Amino acid sequence: MTIDSARGAPSPGAADDPSGLAEASPELIQLLTPEGVRVEHPDYPLDLTPEEVRGLYRDLVMVRRIDMEAVALTRQGELGLWASLLGQEAAQVGSGRALAERDMVFPTYREHGVAWTRGLDPLKVLAMFRGLSNCGWDPAEHNFHLYTVVIGSQTLHATGYAMGIQRDGVLGTENAAATIAYFGDGATSQGDVNESFVFASVFNAPIVFFCQNNQWAISEPLEKQSRIPLYRRAQGFGFPGLRVDGNDVFACLAVTRKALEAARSGQGPTLIEAFTYRMGAHTTTDDPTRYRLEAELEAWKLKDPIERVKAYLVRGDLADPAFFDEVDAEAKQYAADLRRRCLALPDPQPMEIFRNVYAEPHALISEEQEQFAAYLESFETEGSGS
Amino acid sequence: MSTTETLTLGKALNEGLRRALEDDPKVLVMGEDVGRLGGVFRVTDGLQKDFGEDRVIDTPLAESGIVGTAIGLALRGYRPIVEIQFDGFVFPAADQIITQLAKMRLRSQGALKLPVVIRIPCGGGIGAVEHHSESPEVYFTHTAGLRVVACSNPADAYSMIQQSVACDDPVIFFEPKRRYWDKAPVDRSGDWLPLDRARVVQPGSDVTVLAYGPMVKTCLEAASAALEEERSLEVIDLRSLNPLDFGTVEESVRRTGRCVVVHEAPVFSGYGAELAARISEKCFYHLEAPVLRVGGFSTPYPANRLEEHYLPDLDRVMDAVDRVMEW
């Protein structure tokens, strides 16, 4: 330990360079190379049937196609905003497919891929971004909590929920569950995320912190958030931190699965840093050409999460061209249906404003609701009199 | 055991919390120093010993973390009662309270409920250092989705804390710290006024005096002093600030035609402004005088050697009564 390294000064080497492109290294857990070659990792054995791999491939393609459709709908003015997950499909599908039904997910606003793996109808996500509600699904239906727009807030909710699981006395039993909290590289600078690390550690809560480090917090690169690789933050809080190739769906699946099992068996939290890249804009209102280089994007294109699974399937003769055509056709059809369903969504009625603010009767809400209803009715009365 | 006993306000809260913990195994108490120490004001004294560390939780020193994890616990089916140690320390948790706790039910279109109580000792008069004497109620009354209540006496402290825990909405629960040691009879029978109702604590006919929390006692003292001048003050303890029981206020002001509002928080943009505006709208033809407000100055709460000048006292209330009677 030198003075420099103790101070966390960046030193040469991929592992110490938070902004550098990750190469396969002892720090980076990878089970499938960008070329589609399967590699083994002693700590993360993964035995998938060809059918399971094809299933993951289908997930990745569907999620990307849904995301593309949502971007198009936004460009056409049908959605107010969209946060694209382009490039992060493997991190989301891999971690999402690692979850047991009883586990509870706490997403940000970009986890459309995780939502897909939980069985949440993408229409519900589109409805939120279309402005029909501020979210609007029942978290209990798929154990998938509401999208959270304030950066990092949900990590504390996930930690508290995990403390609740502990108090239910189910850890280590067949009813054991864990929570998983998703957040980005920018969120690691938030107080709430650091406080959630403290609480999770002190209470040994059954939680997995899944950080999708997509290198950019809108226009700010990772070095504006950290001088060390993010997975190392965990050590200071007293629990394990790992860096996984976030574009490798196999590695994301295996590592998340193991971390969830550890949580459910009472071994406490894990931080997983999924090293990935946001191929698109932060949201549809953002212009990434103003702050990042085309060369960086090109380099990451070579690490595409879908192409490597396709290469693996082809190389192993695990899928024929007809399979890929079928998946593409299915995705195209699904997206077209989704678009139709989205455009058919009715606007909410004005009185919806007053609904569900409180669980129990509230005099002020009732009063304003009545006044507004009478006001609206006055137009109808005027109209009928003319 | 008799249903009525004389208790301090702090002890009444302690007993109310104990009852809540006994009645529902999902109720939790959490906060800084609430366990082994029993809270800095001893409001949670003895609870951890009797209910265990899993239910009376000494948390890390992080207000946002405390409220944020309480939200998560509520989502898992628990009913957390959070203690914020002092009024001025609630602001690190303001984000979780305002952007998450208050809005999550609406965000879920009614699928979720957030039965979280946040206890905040508030107000001055105890000779404390900075950040320990403030009245931050309007930050929360202005936030839709929260209920905001303030107890003023032991009997209400005992009942209102239990009603707040039983409520399926988030409740910000203000406790008048300088009244923690005031004693009064507490009825344990459970025959309580609803949580969202105001109470006329002193009937009168000349001036309606509206107060809540620590100022109720001050206003009752003013009412006693006013009697010597043959003035009859009607003192109303609002108890609930959001929602406001305006019916009780309106009935009184229409009868007296005069109103003085008293709170420790600064007058400008304070809770009294809402009361004055509503009264002017709803009681316009019954008013003999404008609604006058008594409260703190538009300054930060001063150092404690100056607080007696900042805090509304009997004389400041009486002065406002004099002025409102001159119209």
Side-chain angles (χ1 to χ4, degrees), chain A residues 55-241:
Chain A
L56 290 171
Y57 176 82
R58 177 180 169 272
D59 282 337
L60 295 168
V61 172
M62 293 295 277
V63 163
R64 180 170 292 186
R65 191 65 190 75
I66 291 165
D67 186 73
M68 273 176 59
E69 197 63 40
V71 171
L73 282 163
T74 313
R75 296 262 180 269
Q76 293 152 13
E78 298 294 347
L79 303 183
L81 189 77
W82 185 254
S84 171
L85 55 67
L86 187 66
Q88 298 173 224
E89 297 88 350
Q92 295 197 14
V93 167
S95 60
R97 287 296 178 203
L99 292 158
E101 204 173 322
R102 273 192 300 275
D103 297 331
M104 188 74 185
V105 178
F106 287 82
T108 68
Y109 45 81
R110 203 189 296 277
E111 273 65 53
H112 325 309
V114 185
W116 170 261
T117 67
R118 298 305 270 173
L120 184 80
D121 184 346
L123 185 69
K124 294 192 172 174
V125 182
L126 263 58
M128 170 185 165
F129 286 95
R130 194 169 164 82
L132 304 184
S133 78
N134 287 340
C135 194
W137 58 78
D138 180 353
E141 276 181 22
H142 302 282
N143 277 352
F144 187 80
H145 188 65
L146 306 170
Y147 272 12
T148 298
V149 173
V150 179
I151 302 298
S153 294
Q154 74 284 354
T155 58
L156 281 168
H157 310 155
T159 304
Y161 195 97
M163 289 162 64
I165 293 172
Q166 271 179 315
R167 277 155 184 74
D168 290 346
V170 295
L171 293 185
T173 73
E174 59 182 18
N175 293 320
T179 64
I180 187 165
Y182 287 89
F183 54 99
D185 43 295
T188 62
S189 298
Q190 283 281 5
D192 277 5
V193 173
N194 287 273
E195 290 185 30
S196 70
F197 288 174
V198 170
F199 277 69
S201 174
V202 164
F203 293 108
N204 206 40
I207 180 167
V208 175
F209 293 106
F210 196 90
C211 174
Q212 290 170 88
N213 173 4
N214 66 12
Q215 315 304 323
W216 292 94
I218 305 190
S219 67
E220 297 205 1
L222 185 59
E223 53 265 34
K224 294 286 184 194
Q225 316 292 343
S226 183
R227 287 178 61 172
I228 61 158
L230 295 175
Y231 74 94
R232 290 200 196 165
R233 295 267 181 97
Q235 189 183 358
F237 290 93
F239 54 88

Side-chain angles (χ1 to χ4, degrees), chain A residues 64 84-89 214 247 277-281 288 292 296-302 304-305:
Chain A
R64 180 170 292 186
S84 171
L85 55 67
L86 187 66
Q88 298 173 224
E89 297 88 350
N214 66 12
N247 286 19
Y277 195 76
R278 194 193 77 210
M279 297 298 282
R292 67 186 189 187
E296 186 178 91
L297 195 66
E298 292 303 314
W300 275 95
K301 275 183 185 169
L302 300 173
D304 186 81

Side-chain angles (χ1 to χ4, degrees), chain B residues 38-307:
Chain B
V40 292
F41 290 107
R42 306 296 179 269
V43 169
T44 56
D45 185 39
L47 299 180
Q48 189 180 69
K49 182 170 68 70
D50 293 344
F51 295 95
E53 289 183 23
D54 273 350
R55 295 193 63 201
V56 181
I57 308 165
D58 271 324
T59 63
L61 206 163
E63 285 78 10
S64 188
I66 296 166
V67 173
T69 53
I71 291 170
L73 282 156
L75 295 174
R76 183 70 186 183
Y78 287 84
R79 302 182 87 88
I81 309 166
V82 165
E83 176 177 303
I84 299 292
Q85 204 158 73
F86 283 93
D87 37 66
F89 300 153
V90 72
F91 299 104
D95 172 49
Q96 283 288 345
I97 295 170
I98 293 166
T99 71
Q100 304 303 315
L101 183 64
K103 296 179 172 68
M104 208 175 274
R105 178 174 177 80
L106 181 80
R107 194 175 297 151
S108 73
Q109 292 193 298
L112 299 176
K113 59 182 187 186
L114 281 299
V116 177
V117 178
I118 298 183
R119 296 178 38 237
I120 306 177
C122 68
I126 62 163
V129 294
E130 197 184 3
H131 316 298
H132 291 67
S133 304
E134 296 169 11
S135 301
E137 59 271 13
V138 292
Y139 295 106
F140 303 108
T141 58
H142 199 65
T143 300
L146 302 175
R147 291 173 186 271
V148 182
V149 301
C151 62
S152 68
N153 63 81
D156 274 352
Y158 177 76
S159 60
M160 287 170 73
I161 190 67
Q162 292 178 68
Q163 291 169 308
S164 298
V165 175
C167 179
D168 279 341
D169 290 315
V171 179
I172 311 295
F173 190 94
F174 283 103
E175 301 170 4
K177 70 170 78 77
R178 86 164 114 155
R179 312 294 185 208
Y180 274 141
W181 301 275
D182 287 4
K183 285 187 175 178
V186 172
D187 179 8
R188 294 199 188 84
S189 66
D191 185 19
W192 304 324
L193 193 62
L195 184 63
D196 58 0
R197 292 281 298 282
R199 179 188 284 117
V200 178
V201 287
Q202 171 71 52
S205 54
D206 292 332
V207 181
T208 299
V209 180
L210 304 177
Y212 53 89
M215 282 292 107
V216 173
K217 184 179 182 182
T218 304
C219 293
L220 285 170
E221 288 166 354
S224 298
L227 276 179
E228 293 168 21
E229 298 172 15
E230 295 187 345
R231 278 183 182 163
S232 165
L233 306 189
E234 175 146 304
V235 181
I236 296 179
D237 180 355
L238 295 176
R239 297 181 356 122
S240 176
L241 305 183
N242 187 352
L244 166 66
D245 174 11
F246 191 71
T248 298
V249 173
E250 188 174 14
E251 188 281 324
S252 175
V253 174
R254 283 173 176 240
R255 200 163 17 82
T256 62
R258 293 179 170 84
C259 181
V260 171
V261 183
V262 186
H263 51 61
E264 288 188 22
V267 167
F268 184 79
S269 288
Y271 196 73
E274 174 62 34
L275 293 165
R278 279 191 168 253
I279 291 165
S280 77
E281 182 186 346
K282 309 277 187 188
C283 311
F284 189 72
Y285 290 109
H286 297 79
L287 287 174
E288 303 290 341
V291 177
L292 295 187
R293 292 171 290 163
V294 178
F297 306 118
S298 298
T299 66
Y301 195 90
N304 70 53
R305 293 289 171 135
L306 292 165
E307 71 178 336

Side-chain angles (χ1 to χ4, degrees), chain B residues 22-43:
Chain B
E22 283 168 354
D23 290 351
D24 184 351
K26 293 292 187 184
V27 169
L28 308 172
V29 167
M30 56 195 292
E32 297 155 12
D33 309 301
V34 298
R36 198 180 300 183
L37 180 68
V40 292
F41 290 107
R42 306 296 179 269
V43 169

